[in-house]
Amino acid sequence: MKTFLKKFGFLISVFCVLLSLFSCKEKSQPTRTVRIAIQPSAAFIPLYIARYSGQIENALAPKNVTVVWQDFESGPPINESLTADLTDIGVIGDVPTVRALSGATKMRLVGVPASGANAYALLARADNTFLNSYKDLKGKKIATVFGSTGHNFVKKLLEKAGLTFEDIEFVNIQAGQAQQVLSDSSADAVAIWEPNITRLLDNGDAKIVAQGDETNLRGTNGFVVRDEFLADSGDIISEILNQYAIAVQKIPDLNDEMLKKLSSALNISGEQIKSISKKYNFSVEIMNEDILALQDTISFLVSINNLQNEYRVANFVDGNYYKK
């Protein structure tokens, strides 16, 4: 009996030592960091939800990962940060996405956070009785950001009307000038995107002349990641994408506290957030339609001499990091 107890005690001791070694191995996981760039666009509402709920941090905690959030005003500065190795993953619109993928720093499109044709619209002053549809564009002053999705949208509307840019006066503006150029009549119409559309409509300053779904505009946005980061931390990216998909499911039942935080980030009301979110197809999966839409964006930028080469965007797409 004593011999048995000694052997049993020995086995218990060995087990405890092994358990201790295993625990130490788990605790000694190297610390990693992921830097997530975000911008105040309604297209990225789920990422704000994931941020404010702390769900990405909680999901990555077992992997000993530190999450750093980086706030930017728009896509181009995010691209600069990705290129400079100051950001690991960013959410950006279609034009910044195709620019990022064409750059010297190797990057990959790993997901589509949202698409939404009607997140884009052509707006005129509310009291403008001469401009009511895309058929009335000839001879008008049309304002938008040069090289933006709004610019591409105008091109599509002109083509649908049998017109070209030579048939209008193009006015190059910054997105924040949309209300000003309408109010002082320096343009007859503005091609703009959310949440600017809802702000102008709700203020009574504008009316809709045309929406994105009147063309083949898709409004594809992108999750763009540096290849170098993917090589070592693809598991982190997969978790971020999975948590984004979880946040999408929370949109219909947002509580007042979350709506308040989103309102502060996007500078719109909770009710406006609810209405704007319905204009988007929030997802993560990359559809063939998204690839075609991004290829169309490349063709547009080349046509206006705003991008040098028409490359195949499909060569820079990897949808395998998102696990349904």
Side-chain angles (χ1 to χ4, degrees), residues 9 11 14 44 59 66 87 89 127 159 161 184 195 199-200 209-210 212 226 259 269 272 303 310 317:
L11 290 173
V14 171
F44 311 127
T66 298
T87 292
I89 178 172
D127 59 359
E159 288 173 348
D184 65 15
R199 287 198 199 103
L200 291 168
V209 174
R226 292 183 300 106
L259 282 171
S269 71
Q272 288 174 324
S303 74
E310 182 153 352
V317 173

Side-chain angles (χ1 to χ4, degrees), residues 145-157:
V145 181
F146 180 84
S148 68
T149 310
H151 191 174
N152 193 10
F153 176 42
V154 172
K155 180 175 182 286
K156 293 178 182 298
L157 289 174

Side-chain angles (χ1 to χ4, degrees), residues 97 101 107-112 222-224 286 294 316-319:
T97 292
L101 300 180
M107 301 187 204
R108 192 79 39 184
L109 177 72
V110 297
V112 171
F223 277 109
V224 175
I286 304 170
L294 292 173
F316 299 86
V317 173
D318 191 341

Side-chain angles (χ1 to χ4, degrees), residues 66-81:
T66 298
V67 178
V68 176
W69 292 94
Q70 301 172 321
D71 291 285
F72 291 84
E73 284 301 313
S74 61
I78 292 178
N79 275 0
E80 292 175 9
S81 190

Side-chain angles (χ1 to χ4, degrees), residues 45-47 49-51 53-56 58-59 223 238-254 282-284 322-324:
I45 285 174
L47 191 57
I49 294 171
R51 177 184 187 176
S53 67
Q55 64 188 71
I56 291 178
N58 293 337
F223 277 109
S238 289
E239 193 59 66
I240 291 172
L241 298 179
N242 290 339
Q243 291 303 316
Y244 186 93
I246 291 171
V248 169
Q249 301 304 314
K250 296 181 178 180
I251 293 176
D253 302 307
L254 295 175
F282 293 111
S283 180
V284 178
Y322 172 50
K323 316 295 182 184
K324 280 188 177 182

Side-chain angles (χ1 to χ4, degrees), residues 46-313:
L47 191 57
Y48 277 104
I49 294 171
R51 177 184 187 176
Y52 295 139
S53 67
Q55 64 188 71
I56 291 178
E57 285 85 347
N58 293 337
L60 290 175
K63 296 179 181 290
N64 207 14
V65 176
T66 298
V67 178
V68 176
W69 292 94
Q70 301 172 321
D71 291 285
F72 291 84
E73 284 301 313
S74 61
I78 292 178
N79 275 0
E80 292 175 9
S81 190
L82 283 164
T83 300
D85 190 14
L86 299 175
T87 292
D88 301 309
I89 178 172
V91 281
I92 48 182
D94 59 350
V95 170
T97 292
V98 300
R99 287 193 179 285
L101 300 180
S102 70
T105 301
K106 293 184 178 180
M107 301 187 204
R108 192 79 39 184
L109 177 72
V110 297
V112 171
S115 60
N118 286 347
Y120 298 86
L122 184 68
L123 304 179
R125 280 173 57 112
D127 59 359
N128 187 328
T129 59
F130 302 101
L131 186 51
N132 299 299
S133 82
Y134 67 88
K135 298 175 183 178
D136 304 322
L137 290 178
K138 189 170 184 177
K140 304 297 192 299
K141 290 183 180 179
I142 310 299
T144 193
V145 181
F146 180 84
S148 68
T149 310
H151 191 174
N152 193 10
F153 176 42
V154 172
K155 180 175 182 286
K156 293 178 182 298
L157 289 174
L158 288 170
E159 288 173 348
K160 189 171 183 178
L163 304 172
T164 69
F165 280 105
E166 293 181 358
D167 293 304
I168 65 168
E169 183 177 341
F170 183 87
V171 182
N172 183 26
I173 61 168
Q174 297 300 313
Q177 296 176 298
Q179 183 173 10
Q180 176 188 332
V181 298
L182 286 181
S183 62
D184 65 15
S185 296
S186 52
D188 297 302
V190 174
I192 202 68
W193 45 88
E194 291 290 4
N196 302 285
I197 297 168
T198 295
R199 287 198 199 103
L200 291 168
L201 292 176
D202 287 357
N203 289 341
D205 296 326
K207 66 176 183 179
I208 293 177
V209 174
Q211 295 189 106
D213 66 357
E214 294 180 59
T215 70
N216 66 343
L217 186 75
R218 183 169 173 84
T220 294
N221 297 272
F223 277 109
V224 175
V225 186
R226 292 183 300 106
D227 275 17
E228 185 180 1
F229 187 81
L230 280 172
D232 298 326
S233 300
D235 60 322
I236 293 177
I237 296 304
S238 289
E239 193 59 66
I240 291 172
L241 298 179
N242 290 339
Q243 291 303 316
Y244 186 93
I246 291 171
V248 169
Q249 301 304 314
K250 296 181 178 180
I251 293 176
D253 302 307
L254 295 175
N255 59 36
D256 291 341
E257 182 181 356
M258 181 59 73
L259 282 171
K260 185 175 180 180
K261 290 178 179 178
L262 294 173
S263 296
S264 177
L266 300 176
N267 194 27
I268 50 178
S269 71
E271 288 304 312
Q272 288 174 324
I273 287 170
K274 291 178 183 178
S275 65
I276 291 172
S277 65
K278 295 175 182 177
K279 295 185 177 184
Y280 290 96
N281 173 31
F282 293 111
S283 180
V284 178
E285 186 177 2
I286 304 170
M287 308 295 289
N288 186 56
E289 292 86 349
D290 295 309
I291 296 174
L292 292 175
L294 292 173
Q295 195 65 52
D296 174 79
T297 300
I298 292 171
S299 298
F300 161 68
L301 292 174
V302 170
S303 74
I304 61 170
N305 298 315
N306 207 233
L307 189 67
Q308 191 170 9
N309 298 312
E310 182 153 352
Y311 65 93
R312 285 194 72 238
V313 71

